[in-house]
Amino acid sequence: MSSALTDLFPHPIVQAPMAGGVSVPQLAGAVADAGGLGFLAGGYKTADGMYQEIKTLRGLTGRPFGVNLFMPQPEYADPAAVEVYAHQLAGESTWYDTELGDPDSGRDDGYDAKLAVLLDNPVAVVSFHFGVPSPDVLDSLRRAGTFTLVTATTAEEALAVERAGADAVIVQGAEAGGHQGTHRDNPEADCAAIGLLSLLAQVRETVNLPLVAAGGLMRGSQIAAVLAAGASAAQLGTAFLATPESGAHALHKQALTNPLFVRTELTRAFSGRPARGLVNRFVREHGPYAPAAYPEVHHLTSPLRKKAAASGDAQGMALWAGQGHRMARDLPAGELVRVLADEIEVARDALLGGGASS
């Protein structure tokens, strides 16, 4: 089963699906053509918008690629807590001269419609974030010829992925940028995220599925390390965020290596779910008070984030980034894949050489 995944792409490099306009067809196509697995992000798009991106990508490459979906979220947010947070954001609304968004703008992200598109127009790989699809959904995609992956942040979640019938697990460590793909949003576990190598070892001993390692990976030597630890491939997001093909805002790309932004942290400030980003003014001022309320907080802050980006204010943007962000390289995506692949081989040769000499 591991080879069924890795046979799709020559290099064990997966470009993470980064929602919000980052993982555009040009990025996914460049990665795919260079021998990695390119991904489109279905999150925050309409079903037709996702379909149009798939059509565009198919016009750019004949190589296999993937599409990521967000799982519908249960209604557990406290409306009173969301209202309190909205009051706290009133100053931001005044500062950016824009109204807050409607927190009740929708919960399922068009999940059923997007599934219908992917069943009618199958792609090579579909991955899921924020939960586990039903066995029926996974079976339907398998019958359509699609390989399925589901994110897990604990060994228990990986076991749920295996029991549901997915083909592989994306093992997401605490170092990863963007949203943690926890299956259930538990505020009490906000400080309990597990580092990638420890999590990879735990998941490897728990399930018998191929593993894709994700979390802070920026160099080929790191990829070689997770491959040696049992992963079949590595998923990188922040490394590709900085490429010219990425749809990320220029300020976001610049912030990755800007000395002004010295660290990342997991925050609920922008979306109501834990997500790792560069610490800026918005995170410092609102992160400690943001409720566990996704996607309500995401909808609430959306106009603020857009206005901050439009006005060139990185201090009000959601600057998602993994812990390795300072190692970002301004390389074209295809060249980055090739550089990473060369680094993997160098690291493997060094490992073999070290073993022979000892």
Side-chain angles (χ1 to χ4, degrees):
M1 197 176 292
S2 174
S3 64
L5 172 65
T6 54
D7 283 351
L8 294 173
F9 43 105
H11 303 307
I13 299 166
V14 178
Q15 166 245 314
M18 295 168 280
V22 178
S23 294
V24 292
Q26 292 75 16
L27 173 59
V31 171
D33 281 344
L37 180 65
F39 250 98
L40 295 174
Y44 307 140
K45 293 184 180 73
T46 64
D48 183 63
M50 182 191 76
Y51 173 62
Q52 295 303 323
E53 287 205 345
I54 291 171
K55 284 180 60 179
T56 299
L57 180 51
R58 283 183 169 141
L60 295 174
T61 183
R63 299 288 305 162
F65 62 87
V67 175
N68 174 258
L69 297 183
F70 288 166
M71 292 297 298
Q73 297 301 289
E75 295 188 29
Y76 57 78
D78 179 359
V82 175
E83 185 175 354
V84 168
Y85 193 55
H87 284 301
Q88 181 180 335
L89 295 175
E92 300 285 348
S93 180
T94 301
W95 177 256
Y96 290 114
D97 191 25
T98 186
E99 293 184 359
L100 297 175
D102 179 4
D104 299 317
S105 297
R107 308 195 58 78
D108 68 357
D109 201 45
Y111 178 73
D112 289 336
K114 290 172 183 176
L115 273 178
V117 169
L118 292 169
L119 289 171
D120 287 341
N121 303 272
V123 297
V125 181
V126 171
S127 67
F128 297 87
H129 212 56
F130 298 148
V132 187
S134 69
D136 288 345
V137 166
L138 295 169
D139 286 343
S140 296
L141 288 167
R142 184 176 297 107
R143 289 195 297 271
T146 298
F147 194 94
T148 55
L149 302 94
V150 182
T151 301
T153 63
T154 67
E156 292 76 17
E157 289 180 349
L159 189 58
V161 172
E162 183 177 52
R163 288 171 173 167
D167 293 318
V169 181
I170 299 171
V171 181
Q172 186 190 36
E175 305 93 335
H179 284 91
Q180 288 282 296
T182 49
H183 296 181
R184 179 178 178 274
D185 187 13
N186 177 14
E188 296 178 0
D190 277 4
C191 297
I194 305 169
L196 178 57
L197 286 177
S198 294
L199 181 60
L200 195 58
Q202 293 175 32
V203 173
R204 189 183 182 195
E205 293 187 2
T206 304
V207 302
N208 292 311
L209 293 178
L211 310 179
V212 177
L217 304 174
M218 302 292 289
R219 295 288 187 266
S221 58
Q222 294 172 297
I223 297 173
V226 296
L227 296 176
S232 297
Q235 179 172 281
L236 289 74
T238 305
F240 287 105
L241 192 152
T243 64
E245 294 90 346
S246 154
H249 193 284
L251 286 176
H252 194 168
K253 295 181 181 183
Q254 294 164 10
L256 296 175
T257 53
N258 186 335
L260 183 65
F261 302 100
V262 297
R263 65 186 181 89
T264 65
E265 70 177 45
L266 289 170
T267 181
R268 295 178 180 271
F270 295 105
S271 72
R273 244 185 180 272
R276 184 172 297 283
L278 299 171
V279 177
N280 58 7
R281 177 193 60 78
F282 198 101
V283 172
R284 286 192 297 269
E285 293 184 2
H286 302 295
Y289 311 105
Y294 177 88
E296 288 85 354
V297 172
H298 163 75
H299 295 314
L300 196 66
T301 66
S302 180
L304 301 176
R305 290 178 275 128
K306 290 176 181 176
K307 195 63 178 288
S311 61
D313 183 8
Q315 295 297 334
M317 297 169 59
L319 303 173
W320 304 137
Q323 287 184 341
H325 64 95
R326 299 298 291 273
M327 301 168 72
R329 296 182 276 203
D330 183 14
L331 295 174
E335 184 178 345
L336 179 58
V337 171
R338 290 186 284 271
V339 168
L340 289 168
D342 288 344
E343 291 175 346
I344 292 169
E345 291 307 310
V346 169
R348 283 174 164 169
D349 289 344
L351 183 64
L352 291 173
S357 63
S358 62

